[in-house]
Amino acid sequence: MKNHFLGILYFVLCMQTSFAQTADFNWQGHRGSRGLMPENTIPAFLKALDLKVNTLELDVVVSKDRQVVVSHDPYFHPDFSIDPYGKPVPRGEKINLYELSYDEIKRYDVGSNGNPNFPKQTKLKVYKPLLREMIEAVETYRIKNNLPPFWYNIEIKSEEKEYDKSQPQPAVFSDLVYHEISKLLPADRVILQSFDFNVLKHWKKQIDAGVYQKVTLAALVSNLRGIEKNLEDLGFTPDVYSPYFQLLSKEKVQQLHALGMKVIPWTVNTAEEMKRIKAMGVDGIITDYPDRIPN
């Protein structure tokens, strides 16, 4: 019986590796499907899967009790957050998730108000899930609906000025995230991205030392320093270079490919822009609107 189970597991992992090697274009649902559902919530990820993305892009932060929480911000955003007493979170007051237990975090509603910047977003009462809860929910949905394996693009939200204020130090933060994903996902279905190069350097070091399994590392870029300077600051060549889409040109895409990196820009939200950026030769696109992906 044990050998039979191991045979099935090996077959599944081979299928997943095959998927990772053969997917011809990487369509990523940003924060699940932020333009359509409350961002970084389980309904947003399920909606993205219904729209046939092959990567779920998400962000993670850490609670006071060291739980890995799916959230873009380390605080409750006043544009759409409602406190446990039914009142909107006031502007100018940053409620730091790193100072709250997850039980406290879960009491906040982050969907009923909708997001004024995304008027097509469905309004529903929903909370910020744990990373492991999110993975278990979408994997259950994948199996139930006979969907092909997909990637998870997990962004560690980290800023150097916020160390020990709204987040742990990069090594502690990374270890918490790795502990969760290593229990639930094969490494070849995980992309780990960050704007904080200290985070990426830590992951590279741990992978090279054999402490972490090899995942795909992606450098997020929003600055104007240029490719050479960013790679110099990072200290190694990542698997993916992921810039703001307006920073790209066909020549830069070719340069990045020549250096051995895939190029996956963010955040492209109209069908026309998706077609224009894809024509540059990029390897994927991150979008808030998976329903606008061109045929």
Side-chain angles (χ1 to χ4, degrees), residues 1-11:
M1 179 64 70
K2 182 178 180 181
N3 288 337
H4 177 67
F5 172 76
L6 291 174
I8 293 174
L9 177 62
Y10 178 76
F11 176 71

Side-chain angles (χ1 to χ4, degrees), residues 134-204:
M134 174 264 177
I135 293 172
E136 289 168 354
V138 297
E139 287 299 312
T140 298
Y141 188 81
R142 174 179 72 84
I143 293 167
K144 179 180 178 181
N145 292 279
N146 197 30
L147 300 175
F150 47 83
W151 284 292
Y152 294 77
N153 186 4
I154 301 170
E155 178 182 349
I156 289 184
K157 298 302 297 184
S158 178
E159 294 184 71
E160 195 164 351
K161 65 182 178 65
E162 290 297 315
Y163 296 172
D164 298 319
K165 295 178 181 178
S166 65
Q167 64 171 91
Q169 293 280 331
V172 174
F173 199 159
S174 298
D175 285 349
L176 289 169
V177 174
Y178 182 76
H179 178 71
E180 294 297 323
I181 62 177
S182 64
K183 292 186 299 183
L184 296 167
L185 294 171
D188 66 354
R189 287 179 58 200
V190 176
I191 304 166
L192 190 288
Q193 64 176 359
S194 189
F195 285 102
D196 186 349
F197 286 3
N198 290 329
V199 168
L200 296 176
K201 289 175 183 178
H202 177 77
W203 280 74
K204 172 67 170 169

Side-chain angles (χ1 to χ4, degrees), residues 35-48:
L36 308 172
M37 301 293 286
E39 65 176 58
N40 277 320
T41 64
I42 290 172
F45 298 117
L46 300 184
K47 181 70 171 181

Side-chain angles (χ1 to χ4, degrees), residues 6-7 24 30 36 91 95 98 112 114-115 125 130 170 173-174 185 187 210 235 241-242 249 256 260 280 293:
L6 291 174
D24 59 351
H30 187 233
L36 308 172
R91 295 191 179 279
I95 302 171
Y98 194 46
S112 292
N115 187 325
K125 187 173 183 179
L130 292 172
F173 199 159
S174 298
L185 294 171
Y241 195 87
S242 191
S249 65
L256 289 162
M280 291 180 184
I293 293 172

